Amino acid sequence: MNNPLEFYRSQIDLHSISLKKVKNQLTFSSIIRLFVFLGIIAGVYFGYPNTQIIIGSIVIGGAIFVYMVHRHSDLSYTKNKLQKLIALNQLELAVFDGEFSQLATGKEFIDPAHEYSHDIDLFGDRSFFQYTNRTTTVAGKNKLASILRSNNIKQIRQKQNAIKNISKLAEWRQEFSAIASLVDVSVSVATIRKWLQSYVPFIPKIMKILPTIVSIISLVLLVLVFIEAISFQMFLMWFFIGLGITGSQLKKINALYSQSNKVKDTFEQYYKLVDRIETSTFDSELLKEKQQDVSNDMEKASLLLKKFAKILDAFDQRNNMLFGVIANGLFLWDIIQCYRIEQWIAAHHHKVEQWFEIIAFFDAYNSLGNFAFNNPTYVYPELTEKNTVLTAKDLGHPMLNPTKRIDNDITIQKDQFFIITGANMAGKSTFLRTVALQIVMSNIGLPICAASCTYRPTKLITSMRTSDSLSDDASYFFSELTQLKQIVEALHTDEYFIILDEILKGTNSKDKAAGSRKFVQKLVRAKATGIIATHDLSLCEIASDLDQVKNKFFDAQIINDELFFDYTFKDGICQNMNASFLLQKMGIV
């Protein structure tokens, strides 16, 4: 059994040592760069007016300086990645201490009309999404939300194996997250896809060979100037001709640059992530299948994405005024890069969407694997096709403090319906959310908070939290009726596990009792499986008429003039209610 806390602490220590070493290398690199730069200045100063010495100092010194800049950039990247890795491990330790406010809440995914997500606090502050989410790309975040909302009961075993597999790759997962988080990507995948698919080339065919011809002539003229075979004025004249050729396409070049500069960071990030996927070894069939989607071509997706990222980076060098002017005058730099961009888009734009989807998948499964890794005592439900929908021992809610949480056993058969009664605050609603979340987690393939579990895959639908809508002119009662109607209609098309909490709250007690009874009877006739919690003890009488209905309860007792809850799931009907006691205890009546 793994020990997550020990792992995170050891990773912090390991990366901190590496970070200290890299910082020392960066300091040394900065000093060397300074000396190289001063050497170039000295060569130009003391070599004047000797053209050979000046050009030699600039070319040789410039080459060394560029190499040092790239080396310094690589060291800076390593430093930043190590800092991210340390932060990731510190975050995990904070989550173990119950502090996860740094994580995205997913509030944008809150949808009261969804089959279950709003009722069980799947999204929002202190939600299961926030607790689980470790995604580092926008697409991955959306994918994780989609998985949680999918209500998909297909391929559960394959999903379980994928999560088991990726949960064991803790260092791989953190490396993936660190790489992704180093780039702040602001452009959506949908925007990039639209740009690539709708792009119209503008570079004339002659520009395919003209930059090569111009570059060769420029190099020849540069050598001739160096050996003083031609005048500098003649060389300068050729230089301005090159600028004129580039300027003829400047408007369209600027438009392409504006678009490409927006997506540059995305491709820089994604080629590194795809490379991590391609070079890894997975055991799970699902992960292997996704891996094949980026590595089954003649050329690896990571290399193609890297090539495009380098082209975009080269195009961005035009922002360096000195380089941009010289490179465009002598080599038609902007035209070369535009042509390369257009060639890449024409050859590979149809593959980008699939590559990006794979990144989102692994980013989302990174979170699911991290959840499994952090909870080594949780169990993967044993799947069955028998009539027992759910048998769980010591089932608990994963968001509750394990030192205070009271776990319960539950067994419910197909076509069986539980009516749960109990006093206020006795634990009914928490239990309903626990069962609902267990179903969602099981369908996703996650391990659940239980000692053991046998589960017949089923979709989930709930009605636990209803609100009125002033903007839609919908009353609370009408909103609830709409939810109940959706449940009935859903049963016509598929099997669902239904969870209801105190239905028909928007009407009077007598009408509520009669309506609730008829609704439960309808569900039983439809051979539905599920649970309903209620304060209405008269609803429990249905169990006398229908064998499919069983009464369960959570108890509350008054001991030494204090209210006591044991939060234990029991057979029977609750006889102890606490509203009157609490009104008196709090001095309200």
Side-chain angles (χ1 to χ4, degrees), residues 514-551:
S516 298
R517 184 183 182 96
K518 290 179 180 178
F519 187 71
V520 172
Q521 288 172 334
K522 183 175 181 64
L523 294 178
V524 171
R525 285 197 303 270
K527 295 186 176 180
T529 305
I531 303 172
I532 179 171
T534 182
H535 287 97
D536 182 8
L537 299 184
S538 67
L539 189 60
C540 300
E541 297 171 3
I542 302 178
S544 303
D545 304 325
L546 300 172
D547 292 337
Q548 299 96 320
V549 177
K550 304 296 178 184
N551 288 315

Side-chain angles (χ1 to χ4, degrees), residues 216-480:
I216 292 172
I217 294 174
S218 296
L219 290 172
V220 171
L221 293 177
L222 188 62
V223 171
L224 293 176
V225 169
F226 183 76
I227 63 175
E228 298 182 345
I230 63 172
S231 67
F232 185 75
Q233 287 78 5
M234 185 178 296
F235 177 77
L236 198 61
M237 186 183 301
W238 173 253
F239 173 77
F240 282 113
I241 291 173
L243 286 181
I245 295 172
T246 301
S248 68
Q249 302 292 326
L250 189 59
K251 185 176 180 180
K252 293 179 180 179
I253 289 172
N254 287 339
L256 177 56
Y257 175 75
S258 177
Q259 290 293 331
S260 63
N261 192 52
K262 294 175 184 177
V263 305
K264 180 171 70 73
D265 288 343
T266 300
F267 282 93
E268 180 74 22
Q269 177 192 66
Y270 273 36
Y271 93 74
K272 294 174 182 176
L273 296 179
V274 171
D275 180 67
R276 292 294 298 166
I277 295 169
E278 289 174 341
T279 56
S280 300
T281 301
F282 299 111
D283 300 323
S284 153
E285 289 302 318
L286 182 56
L287 297 185
K288 286 181 180 178
E289 177 186 318
K290 296 296 182 180
Q291 185 184 44
Q292 283 298 310
D293 287 340
V294 294
S295 58
N296 59 2
D297 292 329
M298 293 292 291
E299 192 171 0
K300 289 184 176 180
S302 62
L303 295 178
L304 294 173
L305 288 167
K306 182 179 181 179
K307 181 180 179 180
F308 195 50
K310 296 304 179 185
I311 294 172
L312 297 177
D313 187 57
F315 195 20
D316 192 48
Q317 296 305 311
R318 72 198 303 263
N319 277 339
N320 184 321
M321 291 299 294
L322 180 61
F323 176 86
V325 171
I326 293 175
N328 277 302
L330 298 181
F331 309 113
L332 307 186
W333 182 264
D334 284 357
I335 291 176
I336 292 173
Q337 306 315 321
C338 289
Y339 178 76
R340 294 172 71 198
I341 289 171
E342 291 185 350
Q343 291 296 104
W344 193 96
I345 291 175
H348 307 296
H349 74 273
H350 60 286
K351 302 175 185 177
V352 171
E353 184 173 2
Q354 176 177 292
W355 295 339
F356 282 14
E357 173 60 28
I358 300 304
I359 291 293
F361 171 87
F362 275 94
D363 197 16
Y365 265 73
N366 207 353
S367 291
L368 301 178
N370 189 77
F371 177 88
F373 178 81
N374 282 351
N375 297 283
T377 60
Y378 287 12
V379 299
Y380 290 89
E382 179 183 340
L383 304 180
T384 181
E385 295 181 359
K386 297 179 180 179
N387 282 335
T388 302
V389 174
L390 174 64
T391 297
K393 182 176 177 57
D394 296 333
L395 180 67
H397 198 293
M399 301 286 290
L400 296 178
N401 188 330
T403 61
K404 300 177 180 179
R405 184 185 67 223
I406 304 297
D407 300 331
N408 283 287
D409 301 345
I410 180 175
T411 297
I412 185 167
Q413 306 295 328
K414 186 177 181 297
D415 303 339
Q416 200 171 58
F417 225 89
F418 287 173
I419 296 177
I420 302 179
T421 51
N424 293 300
M425 303 182 298
K428 300 189 303 300
S429 295
T430 298
F431 183 74
L432 295 186
R433 288 182 172 83
T434 299
V435 174
L437 187 56
Q438 176 270 317
I439 292 173
V440 173
M441 293 169 66
S442 298
N443 291 342
I444 290 170
L446 283 171
I448 66 166
C449 180
S452 64
C453 178
T454 301
Y455 172 63
R456 174 191 171 103
T458 181
K459 293 183 178 180
L460 174 68
I461 192 165
T462 66
S463 179
M464 301 170 63
R465 177 183 288 145
T466 308
S467 60
D468 55 6
S469 175
L470 295 176
S471 61
D472 296 334
D473 196 25
S475 70
Y476 181 97
F477 186 58
F478 183 78
S479 296
E480 187 174 15

